Amino acid sequence: MILPEVKSKIGEDISIVIYLDNCKWNYIVDCGEASMLSVKDCMNTRAIFISHTHIDHFINFDQIMRHQVGCKERIVICGPKNIALQVQAKLRSFTWNLVEEDAILYEIREIISENKIKVYEMKPAQWELTPLEDRDSLYQDERLLVNYTILDHKTDVIAYHFKDNDKINIAISETSYKPGKWINELKNAYINKDRNCEIEIDQVKYSAQSLFYLLQVEKGNTLGVILDHAAHEENHNKIRNLFNDCDTVLIETFYKDEDKEKAILNFHSYASQSGEVMRKSNVKKAVPIHFSRKYIEEEIAQIEIEFYKAFERK
């Protein structure tokens, strides 16, 4: 289960932490200065996903990094074109003479286009960018698959789609078979769609397909995070394509409807447009986030009313 939490209070920058049930690590989306982002959140982060590097989305990278150096882990950073040089510039602005080379390793995945990702790795103390092999997919680990699309905000903004892996269980007490290594072999055969794989149980061989009926598959849920974007048709088409039928989406809703002209001028979205594109995308649960810092609490409540009116309209 994917469990997102916005770590920003009203009037703060945007930062979101994504937790997974029964999982010791988490993921961060954007590095705005957010007072509810904890040291533990930073230390337990496996990957950071940057939408773009406007100051309110990237200024707190230094503080996050501060709590990660020394973990001796590989941490992935994903973001738009030039993110590798920008991360390098941040890291090189400090002195690292007391830090060991293996204190941390950052892997930077720079999204060049919808199907090209350049990859680098960096480590202290010189933080040289070492090129790795390019990728055509963004991120996957044993729990999470992440896809993306590139939106227009007068600069590239990456919108991220997260999917928790399906959970595959077997009710062994309801079968006549004894537990054994065959259970994991059967699960792997199902995941890899290897119907003809031979599974041996108590010295008897079965085809994997003949045992698939024993498995109980719980579909992983999906989460979208859509930050700054112009409310125009090209962006909306991309949103509908990637986030159709998504379980939950957090979406930028920067302006009230009465400030629509400011939204257009600044390549942002506004309440009714964010709500409408969520409705047209058949999103099950949509959450407006990332409001202009000029608004007070009562005005943000009005944005939410306008958003849900458009989202729930039949």
Side-chain angles (χ1 to χ4, degrees):
M1 177 69 71
I2 303 174
L3 306 166
E5 284 189 20
V6 177
K7 296 295 182 174
S8 321
K9 295 179 180 178
I10 293 173
E12 294 181 339
D13 299 329
I14 186 68
S15 188
I16 300 160
V17 176
I18 295 174
Y19 304 100
L20 300 173
D21 64 315
N22 301 315
C23 186
K24 66 180 181 180
W25 65 82
N26 54 253
Y27 311 83
I28 292 176
V29 181
D30 276 8
C31 303
E33 192 168 5
S35 60
M36 293 188 291
L37 183 68
S38 70
V39 172
K40 184 179 179 181
D41 290 330
C42 300
M43 293 177 67
N44 289 349
T45 295
R46 177 173 277 193
I48 301 171
F49 298 89
I50 305 295
S51 66
H52 63 303
T53 54
H54 282 167
I55 193 167
D56 56 327
H57 296 257
F58 196 50
I59 193 169
N60 201 40
F61 174 79
D62 298 359
Q63 189 70 17
I64 293 170
M65 170 270 297
R66 178 182 185 178
H67 299 304
Q68 294 174 340
V69 172
C71 70
K72 298 182 181 291
E73 299 285 347
R74 176 184 292 265
I75 296 177
V76 174
I77 301 174
C78 303
K81 283 182 288 189
N82 298 318
I83 189 68
L85 287 174
Q86 290 173 304
V87 169
Q88 183 188 50
K90 287 258 193 182
L91 292 166
R92 282 185 162 180
S93 67
F94 301 97
T95 301
W96 298 96
N97 62 299
L98 300 180
V99 174
E100 300 294 330
E101 187 179 77
D102 66 348
I104 194 169
L105 192 150
Y106 280 117
E107 181 178 317
I108 318 296
R109 299 181 184 178
E110 187 170 297
I111 297 167
I112 306 301
S113 67
E114 297 285 357
N115 53 19
K116 182 179 181 181
I117 299 159
K118 297 189 74 65
V119 186
Y120 306 88
E121 66 178 23
M122 305 168 61
K123 57 187 176 182
Q126 300 303 315
W127 301 109
E128 297 287 352
L129 282 171
T130 302
L132 304 179
E133 186 176 352
D134 290 357
R135 301 171 58 95
D136 56 12
S137 61
L138 185 62
Y139 184 90
Q140 185 170 17
D141 61 25
E142 60 267 43
R143 280 296 304 268
L144 205 63
L145 172 66
V146 186
N147 288 312
Y148 69 92
T149 192
I150 303 172
L151 302 180
D152 172 33
H153 180 49
K154 211 173 181 179
T155 188
D156 285 358
V157 169
I158 312 302
Y160 294 102
H161 180 284
F162 301 86
K163 184 186 182 301
D164 194 4
N165 291 337
D166 297 343
K167 292 181 180 178
I168 303 173
N169 300 308
I170 184 169
I172 191 66
S173 62
E174 298 176 12
T175 76
S176 59
Y177 304 120
K178 296 178 181 178
K181 67 177 184 178
W182 66 269
I183 294 176
N184 283 332
E185 292 173 351
L186 180 61
K187 289 180 181 181
N188 289 332
Y190 181 86
I191 292 169
N192 296 322
K193 299 180 180 179
D194 189 355
R195 299 173 180 274
N196 298 318
C197 174
E198 284 192 344
I199 306 294
E200 184 173 326
I201 308 174
D202 296 332
Q203 299 182 329
V204 178
K205 293 182 178 180
Y206 303 84
S207 71
Q209 184 175 6
S210 70
L211 299 173
F212 282 167
Y213 75 95
L214 297 173
L215 301 176
Q216 300 169 344
V217 181
E218 179 184 343
K219 290 291 183 182
N221 69 321
T222 52
L223 169 72
V225 179
I226 305 169
L227 287 161
D228 301 13
H229 65 284
H232 57 50
E233 193 60 26
E234 182 180 354
N235 278 343
H236 287 174
N237 285 339
K238 289 182 175 182
I239 289 169
R240 288 195 294 268
N241 287 338
L242 183 59
F243 299 98
N244 186 56
D245 288 333
C246 204
D247 291 313
T248 303
V249 175
L250 312 181
I251 184 168
E252 178 235 4
T253 314
F254 207 70
Y255 286 107
K256 296 188 292 185
D257 280 1
E258 68 181 59
D259 291 330
K260 171 183 175 180
E261 296 305 318
K262 288 183 180 178
I264 294 170
L265 180 65
N266 294 315
F267 285 71
H268 272 290
S269 190
Y270 53 98
S272 62
Q273 285 296 288
S274 290
E276 183 174 346
V277 73
M278 291 291 90
R279 177 176 57 81
K280 290 182 176 179
S281 301
N282 300 311
V283 169
K284 297 177 179 65
K285 178 182 178 182
V287 182
I289 61 168
H290 192 35
F291 315 105
S292 170
R293 301 203 317 180
K294 74 174 187 173
Y295 294 131
I296 61 174
E297 191 169 350
E298 290 79 6
E299 291 174 302
I300 291 173
Q302 182 60 38
I303 290 175
E304 292 172 338
I305 290 170
E306 293 170 348
F307 174 90
Y308 285 114
K309 181 178 179 181
F311 175 60
E312 296 168 357
R313 180 165 59 87
K314 297 181 179 180

